[in-house]
Amino acid sequence: MPEKSQEKPAENWTTALRYISGRKTAEESLGFLAHISSTIRSTTAPADVVPATAKACVPFFASAISLDAPAVHDEPVVQAPDEFAAALSQVRALADSADRPRFVVSDHEGFSEQTDPQLLEQLREWGVGSAVALALEFRGVPGGRLVIVRGPAHRRGPVGPGDLALVSEVADRVAAFNAFASRLPSGASR
């Protein structure tokens, strides 16, 4: 933090509040990631891991989430309130048609140059403010896709670079679980 200045006390307060807010967000993110790791590790039935992970993500981290784990679920596991279910499905279809490992649409300033304004407008029409879709792959074992959407009033705001890093960590953990579950004897994973 900068030194105190008598000339611009308002700037000092603003800097202090941003610093505190950034620390709080970082602490929440680390705690959330520890919770996700614990959920994956401590859920005993393989078929229950992905639903428990999806449930842990909503509403803290996302307004709605869709997770694939083909080793234990034939269909994506969805955790979405009614108001975001259609938007989540549409974003998933959009990400599937884009056929890229990473798909991000957000009005966060960190993504302003990377986000197509037409896609952002389409998200708004669907009632969401930002969306992320990541391919799930761990050591060559494909695992489908993780898709999240956030409503415009989500407590964490639009998805930013820090959120994308956190989504990537969740995706890595689910992809690793899927790779592990794909090696279980058939019948043990479902």
Side-chain angles (χ1 to χ4, degrees), residues 98-110:
D99 197 32
R100 297 183 298 215
R102 185 179 107 163
F103 179 82
V104 180
V105 181
S106 177
D107 62 357
H108 188 278
E109 61 192 27

Side-chain angles (χ1 to χ4, degrees), residues 25 28-30 32-33 35-36 53-65 130 132 134 146-151 154-171:
T25 300
E28 282 183 338
S29 295
L30 287 173
F32 171 72
L33 196 52
H35 178 64
I36 292 296
T53 303
K55 187 174 181 183
C57 289
V58 176
F60 170 78
F61 185 65
S63 298
I65 188 169
S130 52
V132 174
L134 299 174
L146 174 151
V147 180
I148 69 159
V149 296
R150 276 192 189 163
H154 193 274
R155 67 183 278 288
R156 291 179 64 100
V159 172
D163 293 314
L164 181 59
L166 194 56
V167 173
S168 296
E169 290 293 329
V170 172

Side-chain angles (χ1 to χ4, degrees), residues 36 40 49-50 53-54 57 65-73 75-77 92 95-96 99-103 132-148 164-180 182:
I36 292 296
I40 291 171
V49 170
V50 176
T53 303
C57 289
I65 188 169
S66 169
L67 283 168
D68 292 333
V72 291
H73 295 280
E75 297 292 323
V77 173
R92 185 176 179 85
D96 287 344
D99 197 32
R100 297 183 298 215
R102 185 179 107 163
F103 179 82
V132 174
L134 299 174
L136 301 177
E137 184 174 322
F138 184 79
R139 297 184 181 180
V141 179
R145 192 176 301 278
L146 174 151
V147 180
I148 69 159
L164 181 59
L166 194 56
V167 173
S168 296
E169 290 293 329
V170 172
D172 287 346
R173 282 157 176 73
V174 173
F177 163 75
N178 185 65
F180 165 76
S182 70

